[in-house]
Amino acid sequence: MFHYTVETDQSIEQAIKALEASLKEEKFGVLWEFDIRKTLEEKGFAFDKNFIVLEVCNPKEAQEVLTRNHMVGYFLPCKIVVYEDSGKTKIGMPKPSALIQMVEDDELKVFAKNIEDRLIACIDKSVA
């Protein structure tokens, strides 16, 4: 699977607040919150579900990985999505370990897996 996704009974707002708190503990910050529904509606397109994209980053680790290989910047910042699906709130992300396969660097695969494990822990903690 290229992604990790969980389900919660929390509202989207509650899920985002809990996620931001757990991310902060791991020194990840939310750089940008993109409300896709709102943006599409502003452009005249109907979209009936809430769908929020959070772009998250740990600056120290971003600097480290970009110094090693600037092509990793194509995958940064990491994205976590919070959205409605069948009456539930879902939180998910593309797995950094899946994305990093395209760079073909074994040391970066270990780095990406570490980031992935920490982000998954943040997501899991936010829905616990």
Side-chain angles (χ1 to χ4, degrees):
M1 299 283 281
F2 82 94
H3 68 95
Y4 179 78
T5 305
V6 298
E7 190 174 278
T8 179
D9 290 325
Q10 299 171 343
S11 70
I12 285 188
E13 295 78 17
Q14 291 168 327
I16 290 172
K17 186 174 181 177
L19 182 58
E20 287 175 335
S22 64
L23 288 166
K24 188 174 183 178
E25 291 174 11
E26 278 293 326
K27 299 188 178 18
F28 283 89
V30 176
L31 303 174
W32 187 45
E33 184 176 315
F34 177 45
D35 185 334
I36 290 181
R37 178 181 173 183
K38 180 180 172 186
T39 300
L40 289 174
E41 287 175 352
E42 288 172 356
K43 303 292 181 187
F45 298 98
F47 191 72
D48 64 348
K49 294 184 181 188
N50 288 318
F51 198 102
I52 309 295
V53 178
L54 304 176
E55 294 200 341
V56 304
C57 183
N58 177 307
K60 178 184 178 295
E61 296 187 53
Q63 184 272 337
E64 184 179 329
V65 73
L66 285 169
T67 298
R68 177 162 172 82
N69 187 326
H70 66 275
M71 296 300 288
V72 176
Y74 286 43
F75 312 129
L76 298 179
C78 295
K79 289 180 178 33
I80 298 178
V81 297
V82 184
Y83 61 100
E84 293 175 348
D85 185 33
S86 302
K88 295 282 188 177
T89 298
K90 292 191 177 181
I91 303 172
M93 66 173 199
K95 290 182 175 179
S97 64
L99 297 172
I100 206 72
Q101 297 296 325
M102 294 179 257
V103 178
E104 298 178 7
D105 181 326
D106 289 338
E107 288 182 36
L108 286 179
K109 289 177 185 177
V110 172
F111 188 89
K113 181 66 172 131
N114 174 270
I115 296 295
E116 178 179 307
D117 291 345
R118 290 168 49 215
L119 289 175
I120 286 173
C122 290
I123 290 170
D124 288 348
K125 185 175 182 181
S126 73
V127 298

